[in-house]
Amino acid sequence: MDPDLPGPLFRGRGRDHLRRGVAISARPLAQATILTLVAGIADAVGYVTMGGVFAANMTGNTVLAGIDIAKGNHLGAWNHLTPLVAFFPGAMLARVMLRLFKGPVAGILLEAALLAGVGFLPVGEENAVMIVAFAMGLQASTITSFAGHSVSTVVVTSTLARTADAAVDRLWRGAAISPPSALNTGLLALTWTGYLVGAVIGGLLLPVLAWPLLVPAALLILMLPLLG
């Protein structure tokens, strides 16, 4: 079994599996929703407070870097590309920790610690966004599957495309392709919604909290019991 898939989600069989069907469906949905809330908050806070740079959305950073290069703004391009330098090793470390600790708890704890601590560290704006991007890289690779469904919690473009696929497959009666499960459809919809809601929460937190990234750090801690 893949180490980044929480074991208790997949042990149910037969009648016991049917009895626990609600819990099995609810847990991965809650995990994915919380993680996308975290990514949405981190991206919103990072973009507003860290020089218009995304902490989780590396696609957005790449596009903005390309625009800056086209304008001859090489410093701006560098500022948008540096988060990728942090995101990538964060994702690599997450994979190493999955292999060492046989589960996602250590990666989630490290991500929470980084998000909680970045506001208190005597670092500048550029270093702060690198730390948050590193934390988002951890999240991107720490949990990649939810009840057997592969979903990214830091990128929503592919999620929207898969949601569209699922909607058509469910509505097209008599199609050769089997319609997706209700869990799969709900999971896809919730991950996009969670990202949007997280961005809204991040925008609302900025005027009222000096360290708004404490909120996603707390959400990660609250998620730990869901990891099984």
Coordinates of all heavy atoms in Angstrom, one line a residue, residues 143-219:
I143 N 0.3 14.4 0.9 CA -1.0 13.7 0.7 C -1.4 14.0 -0.8 O -1.8 15.1 -1.1 CB -2.1 14.1 1.7 CG1 -1.6 13.9 3.1 CG2 -3.3 13.2 1.4 CD1 -2.7 14.2 4.1
T144 N -1.4 12.9 -1.6 CA -1.8 13.1 -3.0 C -3.0 12.3 -3.4 O -3.6 12.4 -4.4 CB -0.6 12.7 -3.9 OG1 -0.2 11.4 -3.7 CG2 0.6 13.6 -3.7
S145 N -3.4 11.4 -2.5 CA -4.6 10.5 -2.8 C -5.6 10.5 -1.6 O -5.2 10.6 -0.4 CB -4.1 9.1 -3.0 OG -3.3 9.0 -4.2
F146 N -6.8 10.6 -1.9 CA -7.9 10.6 -1.0 C -8.9 9.5 -1.3 O -9.6 9.6 -2.3 CB -8.6 12.0 -1.0 CG -7.6 13.1 -0.7 CD1 -7.0 13.7 -1.8 CD2 -7.4 13.6 0.6 CE1 -6.1 14.7 -1.6 CE2 -6.5 14.6 0.8 CZ -5.9 15.2 -0.3
A147 N -8.9 8.4 -0.5 CA -9.7 7.3 -0.7 C -9.6 6.7 -2.1 O -10.5 6.3 -2.8 CB -11.2 7.6 -0.5
G148 N -8.3 6.7 -2.6 CA -8.0 6.1 -3.9 C -8.1 7.1 -5.0 O -7.8 6.7 -6.2
H149 N -8.5 8.3 -4.8 CA -8.6 9.3 -5.8 C -7.4 10.3 -5.8 O -7.2 10.9 -4.7 CB -9.9 10.1 -5.7 CG -11.1 9.2 -5.7 ND1 -11.6 8.6 -6.9 CD2 -12.0 8.8 -4.8 CE1 -12.7 7.9 -6.6 NE2 -12.9 8.0 -5.3
S150 N -6.7 10.4 -6.9 CA -5.6 11.3 -6.9 C -6.0 12.8 -7.2 O -6.6 13.0 -8.2 CB -4.6 10.9 -8.0 OG -3.5 11.8 -8.1
V151 N -5.8 13.7 -6.2 CA -6.2 15.1 -6.3 C -5.1 15.9 -5.8 O -4.6 15.7 -4.7 CB -7.5 15.3 -5.6 CG1 -7.9 16.8 -5.6 CG2 -8.7 14.4 -6.1
S152 N -4.8 17.0 -6.5 CA -3.9 18.0 -6.0 C -4.6 19.0 -5.1 O -5.7 19.5 -5.4 CB -3.2 18.7 -7.1 OG -2.4 19.8 -6.6
T153 N -4.0 19.4 -3.9 CA -4.6 20.3 -3.0 C -3.9 21.7 -3.2 O -4.3 22.6 -2.5 CB -4.5 19.9 -1.6 OG1 -3.1 19.7 -1.2 CG2 -5.2 18.6 -1.4
V154 N -3.0 21.9 -4.1 CA -2.3 23.2 -4.3 C -2.5 23.7 -5.7 O -2.1 24.8 -6.0 CB -0.8 23.1 -4.0 CG1 -0.6 22.7 -2.5 CG2 -0.1 22.1 -4.9
V155 N -3.1 22.9 -6.6 CA -3.4 23.4 -7.9 C -4.9 23.0 -8.3 O -5.2 21.9 -8.0 CB -2.5 22.7 -9.0 CG1 -2.8 23.2 -10.4 CG2 -1.0 23.1 -8.7
V156 N -5.6 23.9 -8.8 CA -7.0 23.7 -9.0 C -7.4 23.6 -10.5 O -8.5 23.3 -10.9 CB -8.0 24.7 -8.3 CG1 -7.8 24.5 -6.8 CG2 -7.7 26.1 -8.7
T157 N -6.5 24.0 -11.4 CA -6.8 24.0 -12.8 C -7.2 22.6 -13.3 O -8.2 22.4 -14.0 CB -5.6 24.5 -13.7 OG1 -5.3 25.8 -13.2 CG2 -6.0 24.6 -15.1
S158 N -6.4 21.6 -13.0 CA -6.7 20.2 -13.4 C -7.9 19.7 -12.7 O -8.6 18.9 -13.2 CB -5.5 19.3 -13.1 OG -5.1 19.3 -11.7
T159 N -8.1 20.2 -11.5 CA -9.3 19.8 -10.7 C -10.6 20.2 -11.4 O -11.6 19.5 -11.5 CB -9.3 20.3 -9.3 OG1 -8.1 19.8 -8.6 CG2 -10.5 20.0 -8.5
L160 N -10.6 21.5 -11.9 CA -11.7 21.9 -12.7 C -12.0 21.1 -13.9 O -13.1 20.8 -14.3 CB -11.5 23.4 -13.1 CG -11.7 24.4 -12.0 CD1 -11.3 25.8 -12.5 CD2 -13.2 24.5 -11.5
A161 N -10.9 20.7 -14.6 CA -11.1 19.9 -15.8 C -11.6 18.5 -15.5 O -12.5 18.0 -16.1 CB -9.7 19.7 -16.5
R162 N -11.2 17.9 -14.4 CA -11.7 16.6 -14.0 C -13.1 16.7 -13.5 O -13.9 15.8 -13.6 CB -10.8 16.0 -12.9 CG -9.3 15.8 -13.2 CD -9.1 14.7 -14.2 NE -9.5 15.1 -15.6 CZ -8.7 15.8 -16.4 NH1 -7.6 16.3 -15.9 NH2 -9.1 16.1 -17.6
T163 N -13.5 17.8 -12.9 CA -14.9 18.0 -12.4 C -15.8 18.1 -13.6 O -16.9 17.6 -13.6 CB -15.0 19.3 -11.6 OG1 -14.1 19.3 -10.5 CG2 -16.4 19.5 -11.1
A164 N -15.3 18.8 -14.7 CA -16.1 18.8 -15.9 C -16.3 17.5 -16.5 O -17.4 17.1 -17.0 CB -15.5 19.8 -16.9
D165 N -15.2 16.7 -16.5 CA -15.3 15.3 -17.0 C -16.3 14.5 -16.2 O -17.2 13.8 -16.8 CB -13.9 14.6 -16.9 CG -12.9 15.2 -17.8 OD1 -13.3 16.0 -18.8 OD2 -11.7 15.0 -17.6
A166 N -16.3 14.6 -14.9 CA -17.2 13.8 -14.1 C -18.6 14.3 -14.3 O -19.5 13.4 -14.3 CB -16.8 14.0 -12.6
A167 N -18.8 15.6 -14.5 CA -20.2 16.1 -14.7 C -20.8 15.5 -16.0 O -22.0 15.0 -16.0 CB -20.2 17.6 -14.7
V168 N -20.0 15.5 -17.0 CA -20.5 15.0 -18.3 C -20.8 13.4 -18.2 O -21.8 12.9 -18.7 CB -19.5 15.3 -19.5 CG1 -19.9 14.5 -20.7 CG2 -19.5 16.8 -19.7
D169 N -19.8 12.7 -17.6 CA -20.0 11.3 -17.5 C -21.2 10.9 -16.7 O -21.8 9.9 -16.9 CB -18.7 10.7 -16.8 CG -17.5 10.8 -17.7 OD1 -17.7 11.0 -18.9 OD2 -16.4 10.6 -17.2
R170 N -21.5 11.7 -15.7 CA -22.7 11.4 -14.8 C -24.0 11.7 -15.6 O -25.0 11.1 -15.4 CB -22.7 12.1 -13.5 CG -21.5 11.6 -12.6 CD -21.6 12.3 -11.2 NE -22.8 11.8 -10.5 CZ -22.8 10.7 -9.7 NH1 -21.7 10.0 -9.7 NH2 -23.8 10.4 -9.1
L171 N -24.0 12.7 -16.4 CA -25.2 13.2 -17.1 C -25.5 12.4 -18.4 O -26.6 12.4 -18.9 CB -25.1 14.7 -17.4 CG -25.1 15.6 -16.2 CD1 -24.8 17.0 -16.6 CD2 -26.5 15.5 -15.5
W172 N -24.4 11.8 -19.0 CA -24.5 11.2 -20.3 C -25.0 9.7 -20.1 O -24.3 8.8 -19.8 CB -23.2 11.1 -21.0 CG -23.3 10.8 -22.4 CD1 -23.7 9.6 -23.0 CD2 -22.9 11.6 -23.5 NE1 -23.6 9.7 -24.3 CE2 -23.1 10.9 -24.7 CE3 -22.4 12.9 -23.6 CZ2 -22.9 11.4 -26.0 CZ3 -22.1 13.4 -24.9 CH2 -22.3 12.7 -26.0
R173 N -26.3 9.6 -20.1 CA -27.0 8.3 -19.9 C -26.6 7.3 -21.0 O -26.6 7.6 -22.2 CB -28.5 8.4 -19.8 CG -28.9 9.2 -18.6 CD -30.5 9.3 -18.5 NE -30.9 10.1 -17.4 CZ -31.0 9.7 -16.2 NH1 -30.7 8.4 -15.9 NH2 -31.4 10.5 -15.2
G174 N -26.3 6.1 -20.6 CA -26.0 5.1 -21.6 C -24.6 5.1 -22.2 O -24.2 4.4 -23.1
A175 N -23.7 6.0 -21.6 CA -22.3 6.1 -22.1 C -21.6 4.8 -21.7 O -21.9 4.2 -20.7 CB -21.7 7.3 -21.5
A176 N -20.6 4.5 -22.5 CA -19.8 3.3 -22.3 C -19.0 3.5 -21.0 O -18.6 2.5 -20.3 CB -18.9 3.0 -23.5
I177 N -18.6 4.7 -20.7 CA -17.8 5.0 -19.5 C -18.7 5.0 -18.3 O -19.7 5.6 -18.2 CB -17.0 6.3 -19.6 CG1 -16.2 6.3 -20.9 CG2 -16.2 6.6 -18.4 CD1 -15.5 7.7 -21.2
S178 N -18.2 4.3 -17.2 CA -19.0 4.2 -16.0 C -19.0 5.6 -15.3 O -17.9 6.2 -15.3 CB -18.5 3.2 -15.1 OG -18.5 1.9 -15.6
P179 N -20.1 6.1 -14.8 CA -20.1 7.4 -14.1 C -19.2 7.3 -12.9 O -19.1 6.3 -12.2 CB -21.5 7.6 -13.8 CG -22.1 6.2 -13.7 CD -21.4 5.4 -14.7
P180 N -18.5 8.4 -12.5 CA -17.7 8.4 -11.3 C -18.5 8.3 -10.1 O -19.7 8.6 -10.1 CB -17.0 9.8 -11.4 CG -18.0 10.7 -12.2 CD -18.6 9.7 -13.2
S181 N -17.9 7.8 -9.0 CA -18.6 7.7 -7.8 C -19.0 9.0 -7.2 O -18.4 10.1 -7.6 CB -17.7 7.0 -6.7 OG -16.6 7.8 -6.4
A182 N -19.9 9.0 -6.3 CA -20.3 10.3 -5.7 C -19.2 10.9 -4.9 O -19.0 12.1 -4.8 CB -21.5 10.0 -4.7
L183 N -18.4 10.0 -4.3 CA -17.2 10.5 -3.5 C -16.2 11.2 -4.4 O -15.8 12.3 -4.1 CB -16.5 9.3 -2.9 CG -15.1 9.7 -2.2 CD1 -15.3 10.7 -1.1 CD2 -14.5 8.4 -1.7
N184 N -16.0 10.7 -5.6 CA -15.0 11.3 -6.5 C -15.6 12.7 -7.0 O -14.8 13.7 -7.0 CB -14.8 10.4 -7.7 CG -13.8 10.9 -8.7 OD1 -12.9 11.6 -8.3 ND2 -13.9 10.6 -10.0
T185 N -16.8 12.7 -7.3 CA -17.4 14.0 -7.8 C -17.4 15.0 -6.7 O -17.0 16.2 -6.9 CB -18.9 13.8 -8.3 OG1 -18.9 12.8 -9.3 CG2 -19.5 15.1 -8.8
G186 N -17.8 14.6 -5.5 CA -17.8 15.6 -4.3 C -16.4 16.0 -4.0 O -16.2 17.2 -3.6
L187 N -15.5 15.1 -4.1 CA -14.1 15.5 -3.8 C -13.5 16.5 -4.7 O -12.9 17.5 -4.3 CB -13.2 14.2 -3.8 CG -11.7 14.3 -3.6 CD1 -11.5 14.7 -2.1 CD2 -11.0 13.0 -3.8
L188 N -13.8 16.4 -6.0 CA -13.3 17.3 -7.0 C -14.0 18.7 -6.8 O -13.3 19.7 -6.8 CB -13.7 16.8 -8.4 CG -12.9 15.6 -8.9 CD1 -13.5 15.1 -10.1 CD2 -11.4 16.0 -9.1
A189 N -15.3 18.7 -6.5 CA -16.0 20.0 -6.3 C -15.5 20.7 -5.0 O -15.3 21.9 -5.0 CB -17.5 19.7 -6.2
L190 N -15.3 19.9 -4.0 CA -14.8 20.5 -2.7 C -13.4 21.1 -2.7 O -13.1 22.1 -2.1 CB -15.0 19.5 -1.6 CG -16.3 19.3 -0.9 CD1 -16.3 18.2 0.1 CD2 -16.8 20.6 -0.3
T191 N -12.6 20.4 -3.5 CA -11.2 20.9 -3.5 C -11.1 22.3 -4.2 O -10.4 23.2 -3.7 CB -10.2 19.9 -4.3 OG1 -10.8 19.6 -5.5 CG2 -10.0 18.7 -3.4
W192 N -11.9 22.5 -5.3 CA -11.9 23.8 -5.9 C -12.6 24.8 -5.0 O -12.1 25.9 -4.8 CB -12.6 23.8 -7.2 CG -12.7 25.2 -7.9 CD1 -11.7 25.7 -8.6 CD2 -13.7 26.1 -7.8 NE1 -12.1 27.0 -9.0 CE2 -13.3 27.3 -8.5 CE3 -15.0 26.1 -7.1 CZ2 -14.1 28.4 -8.6 CZ3 -15.8 27.3 -7.3 CH2 -15.3 28.4 -8.0
T193 N -13.7 24.4 -4.4 CA -14.4 25.3 -3.5 C -13.6 25.7 -2.3 O -13.5 26.9 -1.9 CB -15.7 24.7 -3.0 OG1 -16.5 24.3 -4.2 CG2 -16.5 25.7 -2.2
G194 N -12.9 24.7 -1.7 CA -12.0 25.0 -0.6 C -10.9 26.0 -0.9 O -10.6 26.8 -0.1
Y195 N -10.3 25.9 -2.1 CA -9.3 26.8 -2.5 C -9.8 28.2 -2.6 O -9.2 29.2 -2.1 CB -8.7 26.4 -3.8 CG -7.3 26.9 -4.1 CD1 -6.2 26.2 -3.8 CD2 -7.2 28.1 -4.8 CE1 -4.9 26.7 -4.1 CE2 -5.9 28.6 -5.1 CZ -4.8 27.9 -4.8 OH -3.6 28.4 -5.0
L196 N -11.0 28.4 -3.2 CA -11.6 29.7 -3.3 C -12.0 30.3 -1.9 O -11.7 31.4 -1.6 CB -12.9 29.6 -4.1 CG -13.8 30.9 -4.2 CD1 -13.0 32.0 -4.9 CD2 -15.0 30.6 -5.0
V197 N -12.6 29.4 -1.1 CA -13.0 29.9 0.3 C -11.7 30.2 1.1 O -11.7 31.2 1.8 CB -13.8 28.8 1.0 CG1 -14.0 29.2 2.5 CG2 -15.1 28.6 0.3
G198 N -10.6 29.5 0.9 CA -9.4 29.8 1.6 C -8.8 31.1 1.2 O -8.3 31.9 2.0
A199 N -8.9 31.4 -0.1 CA -8.4 32.7 -0.6 C -9.3 33.9 0.0 O -8.7 34.9 0.4 CB -8.5 32.8 -2.1
V200 N -10.6 33.6 0.1 CA -11.4 34.7 0.7 C -11.1 34.8 2.2 O -10.9 36.0 2.7 CB -12.9 34.2 0.6 CG1 -13.8 35.2 1.4 CG2 -13.3 34.2 -0.9
I201 N -10.9 33.7 2.9 CA -10.5 33.8 4.3 C -9.2 34.5 4.5 O -9.0 35.4 5.4 CB -10.4 32.4 4.9 CG1 -11.8 31.8 5.0 CG2 -9.8 32.4 6.3 CD1 -11.8 30.3 5.4
G202 N -8.2 34.2 3.6 CA -6.9 34.9 3.7 C -7.0 36.4 3.5 O -6.4 37.2 4.2
G203 N -7.9 36.8 2.5 CA -8.1 38.2 2.3 C -8.8 38.9 3.6 O -8.4 40.0 3.9
L204 N -9.7 38.2 4.2 CA -10.3 38.7 5.4 C -9.4 38.8 6.6 O -9.6 39.6 7.5 CB -11.6 37.9 5.7 CG -12.7 37.9 4.7 CD1 -13.8 36.9 5.1 CD2 -13.3 39.3 4.6
L205 N -8.5 37.8 6.7 CA -7.6 37.8 7.8 C -6.5 38.9 7.8 O -6.1 39.3 8.9 CB -6.9 36.4 7.9 CG -7.7 35.2 8.2 CD1 -6.9 33.9 8.1 CD2 -8.2 35.3 9.7
L206 N -6.1 39.3 6.6 CA -5.0 40.3 6.5 C -5.2 41.6 7.3 O -4.3 42.0 8.0 CB -4.8 40.6 5.1 CG -4.0 39.5 4.3 CD1 -4.1 39.8 2.8 CD2 -2.6 39.4 4.8
P207 N -6.4 42.2 7.3 CA -6.6 43.4 8.1 C -6.7 43.2 9.6 O -6.6 44.2 10.3 CB -7.9 44.0 7.5 CG -8.2 43.2 6.3 CD -7.6 41.9 6.5
V208 N -7.0 42.0 10.0 CA -7.3 41.8 11.5 C -6.3 41.0 12.2 O -6.2 41.0 13.5 CB -8.7 41.1 11.6 CG1 -9.8 42.0 11.1 CG2 -8.7 39.7 10.9
L209 N -5.4 40.3 11.5 CA -4.4 39.5 12.2 C -3.0 39.9 11.7 O -2.7 40.0 10.5 CB -4.6 38.0 11.9 CG -5.7 37.3 12.7 CD1 -5.7 35.8 12.3 CD2 -5.6 37.4 14.2
A210 N -2.1 40.1 12.7 CA -0.7 40.4 12.3 C 0.0 39.2 11.7 O 0.9 39.3 10.9 CB 0.1 40.8 13.6
W211 N -0.4 38.0 12.1 CA 0.2 36.7 11.6 C -0.9 35.8 11.1 O -1.3 34.8 11.7 CB 1.0 36.0 12.7 CG 2.1 36.8 13.2 CD1 3.3 37.1 12.7 CD2 2.1 37.6 14.5 NE1 4.1 37.9 13.4 CE2 3.4 38.2 14.6 CE3 1.2 37.7 15.5 CZ2 3.7 39.0 15.7 CZ3 1.6 38.5 16.6 CH2 2.8 39.1 16.7
P212 N -1.4 36.1 9.9 CA -2.6 35.4 9.4 C -2.3 33.9 9.1 O -3.2 33.1 9.0 CB -3.0 36.2 8.1 CG -1.8 36.9 7.8 CD -1.1 37.3 9.0
L213 N -1.0 33.6 8.9 CA -0.7 32.2 8.5 C -0.8 31.3 9.8 O -0.6 30.1 9.6 CB 0.7 32.1 7.9 CG 0.9 32.7 6.5 CD1 2.3 32.6 6.0 CD2 -0.1 32.1 5.6
L214 N -1.0 31.8 10.9 CA -1.3 31.0 12.1 C -2.6 30.2 11.9 O -2.7 29.1 12.4 CB -1.4 31.8 13.4 CG -0.1 32.4 13.9 CD1 -0.4 33.3 15.1 CD2 0.8 31.3 14.4
V215 N -3.5 30.8 11.1 CA -4.8 30.1 10.9 C -4.6 28.8 10.1 O -5.1 27.7 10.5 CB -5.8 31.1 10.3 CG1 -7.1 30.3 9.9 CG2 -6.1 32.2 11.2
P216 N -4.0 28.8 8.9 CA -3.8 27.6 8.2 C -2.9 26.6 9.0 O -3.1 25.4 8.9 CB -3.1 28.0 6.9 CG -2.5 29.3 7.2 CD -3.5 30.0 8.1
A217 N -2.0 27.1 9.8 CA -1.2 26.2 10.7 C -2.1 25.4 11.7 O -2.0 24.2 11.9 CB -0.1 26.9 11.4
A218 N -3.0 26.2 12.3 CA -4.0 25.6 13.2 C -4.9 24.6 12.5 O -5.2 23.5 13.0 CB -4.8 26.7 13.9
L219 N -5.3 24.9 11.3 CA -6.1 23.9 10.5 C -5.4 22.6 10.3 O -6.0 21.5 10.3 CB -6.5 24.6 9.2 CG -7.6 25.7 9.2 CD1 -7.7 26.3 7.8 CD2 -8.9 25.1 9.7

